[in-house]
Amino acid sequence: MVRNLDDSSAREIITLKMEIQQIMKGNYSSFMQKEIFEQPESVINTMRGRVHFDPDMIILGGIKDYIPEIKRCRRLLLIGCGTSYHSAIATRQVLEELTELPVMIDLASDFLDRSTPIFRDDVCFFISQSGETADTLLALRYCKQRGSLIVGITNTVGSSICRESHCGVHINAGPEIGVASTKAYTSQMISLVMFALVMCEDRISIQPRRSEIIQGLRQLPDLIKEVLKLDDKVHALAQELYQHKSLLVMGRGFNFATCLEGALKIKELTYMHSEGILAGELKHGPLALVDKAMPVIMVCTRDNVYTKCMNAIQQVTAREGRPVIVCERGDTEIQKLSSKYLEVPHTVDCLQGILTVIPMQLLSYHIAVLRGCNVDCPRNLAKSVTVE
């Protein structure tokens, strides 16, 4: 069969502009380990050319023409699967605070099952690392047919979600080869935080909060480098945990997404049962699981839910639980209640989740290595889920 040049099914030849180092392991034992340690650079790449610190200014070229339309919308919907869904949970609170719009978050598969009502004045965000996730793509087409504005947040230029959305943000995290997503998660979070900052730039009352978050973004790469120094401590912790059958990860507020994401990474890589639990739900059932044999990790930083988290930790220790606590540096009050602790630096509350998730990524990696699992290609899973 001879193809004509004007044949619509003939594919354009695209030359990849990437250095060979980007898809090589280098000195690391696996791609996932390399991608965890690349996060200081990947967050800089996500912000490059977009975040300006002097004066405080955010420019998202892919959506700037649509900002007036987005500001007139009725609600924001954030739709994704797996890790991309967790990045939506992580940024929901700051989006609600800075845009003052209702923010709905949905798993793409459930969103389609329910045939959710969608209106022309809705703005729908579709989050996907590959830009080819089948459920997310079908949800996108469902919303597009109903006339809502479609915003794509992907890591792959020219992917299906990129092509079919009206506008979008490319997260620029660089190629991610390990099946378990690490640097794409932190870059998706930053992209959504940057969108929230763009939405509130003309509101005087919120400027102090806005500049606090922008200064937090400025310090973030250095703080991530500090968190990565915990690697040896996390490895020692993994040696205590890797023979257990189950693991509970608890937190609330901005850290709830860290618990879900940390638990998902442990499931994916180590084949161990783990569960992310909202600390406020502890008394409604999960507290029954806690005893001295059950390993519990609690994420608790000094934010607006700190005292409530302390309460949850006391509930766990009262049942002979021995929680491992991810806390802020120098927080001696909470360290007294822990059997072990991992200290992360302090940053603005809505970015703290980026720093607390990295110890969880490292922990899942080390447990997987100790259990003899394939870190880059977990069984039964694919990097890009192109089927429903």
Side-chain angles (χ1 to χ4, degrees):
M1 178 184 158
V2 180
R3 286 241 169 108
N4 298 325
L5 285 173
D6 59 349
D7 182 359
S8 62
S9 61
R11 289 286 183 92
E12 179 193 354
I13 295 170
I14 298 169
T15 309
L16 293 177
K17 295 180 179 67
M18 83 168 62
E19 294 175 17
I20 197 79
Q21 280 81 9
Q22 287 183 285
I23 50 171
M24 301 271 283
K25 277 186 209 168
N27 298 327
Y28 296 100
S29 62
S30 66
F31 284 110
M32 183 187 170
Q33 188 189 27
K34 173 178 179 255
E35 284 151 14
I36 293 171
F37 281 87
E38 269 176 358
Q39 284 175 111
E41 289 75 48
S42 67
V43 300
I44 290 172
N45 290 338
T46 303
M47 296 188 282
R48 180 172 283 128
R50 293 169 172 171
V51 182
H52 302 276
F53 301 111
D54 233 10
D56 292 345
M57 198 164 70
I58 310 276
I59 299 167
L60 293 176
I63 59 171
K64 70 172 189 284
D65 297 339
Y66 289 85
I67 291 294
E69 191 179 338
I70 297 172
K71 284 181 176 171
R72 289 195 300 271
C73 76
R74 178 198 294 224
R75 60 178 178 164
L76 303 175
L77 283 94
L78 306 179
I79 296 161
C81 300
T83 292
S84 298
Y85 172 68
H86 295 157
S87 69
I89 295 174
T91 49
R92 179 189 199 170
Q93 192 174 334
V94 74
L95 279 164
E96 286 176 335
E97 180 191 346
L98 299 182
T99 64
E100 291 190 341
L101 289 165
V103 179
M104 308 287 140
I105 46 175
D106 260 305
L107 284 160
S109 51
D110 180 50
F111 178 82
L112 289 163
D113 293 347
R114 298 200 321 267
S115 303
T116 315
I118 292 292
F119 307 101
R120 288 179 61 186
D121 50 2
D122 287 338
V123 173
C124 304
F125 284 74
F126 292 90
I127 311 167
S128 167
Q129 190 281 136
S130 64
E132 302 291 344
T133 313
D135 284 319
T136 311
L137 196 52
L138 289 167
L140 182 151
R141 289 170 185 157
Y142 174 91
C143 294
K144 201 172 184 181
Q145 282 170 356
R146 283 154 182 77
S148 62
L149 182 70
I150 309 296
V151 184
I153 295 188
T154 72
N155 192 31
T156 314
V157 178
S159 59
S160 299
I161 288 175
C162 276
R163 292 197 307 271
E164 295 189 31
S165 51
H166 297 117
C167 57
V169 181
H170 184 254
I171 68 169
N172 291 327
E176 191 176 60
I177 293 157
V179 168
S181 183
T182 49
K183 63 179 182 176
Y185 172 76
T186 47
S187 289
Q188 283 167 349
M189 270 184 76
I190 287 170
S191 300
L192 287 162
V193 169
M194 288 192 298
F195 165 74
L197 293 167
V198 167
M199 287 288 284
C200 69
E201 67 187 357
D202 54 357
R203 285 183 43 216
I204 305 287
S205 61
I206 222 153
Q207 290 311 304
R209 172 73 167 150
R210 186 171 178 271
S211 56
E212 180 193 15
I213 295 169
I214 293 174
Q215 289 313 309
L217 288 172
R218 177 182 226 161
Q219 294 154 11
L220 200 58
D222 293 331
L223 297 179
I224 292 173
K225 283 178 190 162
E226 285 183 47
V227 177
L228 290 168
K229 290 175 188 168
L230 288 172
D231 193 38
D232 293 335
K233 260 188 153 180
V234 175
H235 183 249
L237 177 63
Q239 287 176 316
E240 289 181 31
L241 295 176
Y242 82 100
Q243 287 170 321
H244 283 276
K245 290 270 188 296
S246 187
L247 178 62
L248 303 181
V249 192
M250 299 180 200
R252 65 189 293 165
F254 285 107
N255 289 314
F256 176 49
T258 294
C259 300
L260 293 178
E261 177 59 13
L264 177 68
K265 286 288 156 281
I266 290 161
K267 282 175 220 169
E268 266 182 303
L269 295 171
T270 70
Y271 320 143
M272 192 169 147
H273 170 259
S274 63
E275 200 176 335
I277 295 170
L278 185 69
E281 287 294 294
L282 205 53
K283 292 192 192 75
H284 300 276
L287 197 57
L289 292 168
V290 175
D291 61 18
K292 60 175 176 249
M294 171 67 80
V296 178
I297 296 176
M298 303 200 74
V299 185
C300 182
T301 54
R302 284 194 174 271
D303 52 18
N304 61 336
V305 292
Y306 178 73
T307 49
K308 293 176 180 175
C309 272
M310 283 285 281
N311 182 18
I313 291 167
Q314 284 157 351
Q315 294 286 331
V316 169
T317 51
R319 271 84 182 167
E320 295 187 346
R322 296 171 56 247
V324 174
I325 298 178
V326 179
C327 61
E328 282 182 19
R329 190 183 294 139
D331 191 348
T332 50
E333 191 181 348
I334 210 160
Q335 288 164 9
K336 289 173 194 163
L337 298 169
S338 66
S339 63
K340 279 199 164 43
Y341 58 86
L342 297 168
E343 292 181 302
V344 297
H346 171 75
T347 186
V348 58
D349 54 8
C350 64
L351 300 175
Q352 194 74 55
I354 292 172
L355 301 182
T356 54
V357 81
I358 293 170
M360 298 307 299
Q361 293 172 347
L362 289 167
L363 182 67
S364 59
Y365 166 77
H366 286 304
I367 293 176
V369 170
L370 289 165
R371 287 172 76 114
C373 304
N374 183 336
V375 179
D376 286 335
C377 299
R379 67 186 182 203
N380 314 339
L381 298 175
K383 178 65 184 162
S384 180
V385 184
T386 53
V387 290
E388 278 188 81

